[in-house]
Amino acid sequence: MMWLLRQLRKDLWSPEVAGVGLGLVYVLALWLSHRAPGVSGTFFNTAAILGKPLTVGDPANQFFVTTFPPLTEGLGWQFYMVIGIFFGALASVLIAGKFKWTWIPIEQWRDVFGGAIWKRWVIAFVGGIILQIGAGIAGGCTSGLALAGGVQLSPAAFLFIPGIFISGAIVQLLVYRNKY
Amino acid sequence: MPVSVPDILVALVLGFLFGWVLDKGGLNRYYKIANVFRFTDLTVLRFMMTGMLVGMIGIYSLKALGLVDLTAVSATVLAGNLIGGAVFGIGMSLSGFCPGTCVAGAARGQLDYLIPGLLGFLSGGLIFGLIYRTDLIQWLLTAGRPELAYAKLPELLGVDPLLLVFVFSEAILIFLYVVGKTRARRRDVLETAVEQERVEAGLVDAPARPAESAGD
């Protein structure tokens, strides 16, 4: 019992232990709900609240009508899962006593790029835009394509993952050069 | 599509577990994701590979027992998956998060995840929907071979699914073993040397672990 409490209060687990939990989430989701967890779709559903009225003049564009209808027209399974992710992470952080309001990442970012908030916020915003467009082109994100596809042995995942690592590594070579 | 109450409960509970392990794995920290692309911290890969190992063994075992059908998978489109991945990788590497880890990172109180991060995803989603009908996007979404769309590797390669799961599992186990070995060696031999170099180069102010010498 004490051992369990100690584990729950830890800031980090070994990635392999946490990874077992990750695998179980995918097994149980497919078994119990016949669905694979994915996050980026819910962001499209949210964007559709604004996007549907904006594309109403173009009937050929059904993206915000049938593919990702607005959240306001009904909450799907993935939406509830995203809510669960937030509260699961929040519980983990609170039990570990690590909750802290921060403007920029304390570890590494500040040492390398300085303490300017605007710089980090611009990168986070632009990064979010690029990520979501990439997810739209690829057909999912790390959860809904790389992992969901990977565990089902879909070729899509094994094209997506190398794509991420090739460009991601090049970006870090350019950004960090010989810093840090 | 309406969701049944049991399905909502499954989604909430599994989402909760998902968020929990994302935090415990450290995936909602900037440096963990940035450093996997610099190959200086393989936490993200170890986490994902273990998840895939457990996931594929569990799912294909259930499938062999006839308990699941694999219908929830994204379509395979050669250009879209690869180029979409490359675009995704640029954003992930720059920002140090991805959609799921941004939500889990916001839960730590990181305002850069909560505000510009999530607003970026919503803006990106809106932009993608607006350019959805352009020739470029339509080409990316359809180029390749349509008959591949919902195929899975065992069928494509014509091998027994459980054999392929076995081969993938072995590969992942070897990867995890080699990474574990390398880390253990590095800790013993290299870490102090690297730390010393960083101090001399002026990259860090003080030894990273002053408590160690003080405590002994």
Side-chain angles (χ1 to χ4, degrees), chain B residues 85-132:
Chain B
V87 173
F88 192 89
I90 295 171
M92 189 164 168
S93 194
L94 280 175
S95 65
F97 53 64
C98 58
T101 54
C102 188
V103 174
R108 293 186 83 217
Q110 302 180 106
L111 293 164
D112 49 332
Y113 286 55
L114 184 65
I115 302 167
L118 291 179
L119 283 177
F121 285 116
L122 298 181
S123 309
L126 190 59
I127 293 169
F128 185 77
L130 295 178
I131 60 171
Y132 180 65

Side-chain angles (χ1 to χ4, degrees), chain A residues 10-11 13 16 19 33 35 61 77 84-85 92 100 102 105 108 120 138-139 152-153 155-156 167-168 172 176 180, chain B residues 7 15-16 20 23-24 29-30 35 38 46 51 60 74 76 81 86-87 93 95 108-109 111-112 121 129 151 153:
Chain A
K10 270 190 181 167
D11 181 26
W13 288 351
E16 284 82 11
S33 278
R35 289 176 174 91
N61 188 349
W77 190 88
I85 290 180
S92 165
K100 193 174 173 222
T102 51
Q108 190 162 322
R120 168 62 183 166
Q152 299 183 74
L153 299 178
S167 70
Q172 292 303 37
Y176 276 81
Y180 205 74
Chain B
D7 270 345
F16 189 92
W20 179 280
D23 185 61
K24 287 287 179 257
R29 280 95 161 152
Y30 163 80
N35 290 349
R38 303 169 64 223
R46 290 164 62 202
Y60 273 89
S74 282
T76 295
N81 297 146
V87 173
S93 194
S95 65
R108 293 186 83 217
L111 293 164
D112 49 332
F121 285 116
L153 286 174

Side-chain angles (χ1 to χ4, degrees), chain B residues 8-212:
Chain B
I8 291 176
L9 288 176
V10 169
L12 286 172
V13 171
L14 292 183
F16 189 92
L17 181 57
F18 199 165
W20 179 280
V21 295
L22 281 177
D23 185 61
K24 287 287 179 257
L27 278 275
N28 53 359
R29 280 95 161 152
Y30 163 80
Y31 71 101
K32 288 285 184 192
I33 297 210
N35 290 349
V36 78
F37 293 117
R38 303 169 64 223
F39 302 100
T40 55
D41 180 346
L42 297 184
T43 298
V44 175
L45 269 180
R46 290 164 62 202
F47 176 76
M48 286 185 65
M49 288 300 152
T50 311
M52 280 208 205
L53 174 76
V54 172
M56 66 176 67
I57 291 176
I59 286 164
Y60 273 89
S61 305
L62 290 175
K63 187 171 181 268
L65 297 169
L67 292 171
V68 293
D69 45 350
L70 306 184
T71 49
V73 71
S74 282
T76 295
V77 186
L78 299 179
N81 297 146
L82 190 64
I83 296 170
V87 173
F88 192 89
I90 295 171
M92 189 164 168
S93 194
L94 280 175
S95 65
F97 53 64
C98 58
T101 54
C102 188
V103 174
R108 293 186 83 217
Q110 302 180 106
L111 293 164
D112 49 332
Y113 286 55
L114 184 65
I115 302 167
L118 291 179
L119 283 177
F121 285 116
L122 298 181
S123 309
L126 190 59
I127 293 169
F128 185 77
L130 295 178
I131 60 171
Y132 180 65
R133 291 295 303 166
T134 56
D135 291 341
L136 175 65
I137 298 293
Q138 283 303 311
W139 178 80
L140 285 169
L141 293 176
T142 51
R145 295 164 51 198
E147 70 271 20
L148 276 180
Y150 292 97
K152 287 169 211 76
L153 286 174
E155 298 138 36
L156 283 180
L157 302 172
V159 295
D160 187 281
L162 292 178
L163 176 67
L164 197 60
V165 168
F166 180 76
V167 171
F168 268 100
S169 305
E170 287 298 313
I172 292 174
L173 285 172
I174 291 169
F175 165 81
L176 293 173
Y177 176 77
V178 170
V179 170
K181 276 277 181 204
T182 319
R183 280 177 64 248
R185 204 174 56 227
R186 228 191 249 160
R187 243 203 316 276
D188 293 346
V189 185
L190 287 177
E191 207 166 65
T192 46
V194 169
E195 212 49 61
Q196 188 59 34
E197 271 176 28
R198 282 184 179 169
V199 174
E200 279 166 11
L203 290 171
V204 286
D205 298 334
R209 279 168 283 102
E212 218 171 63

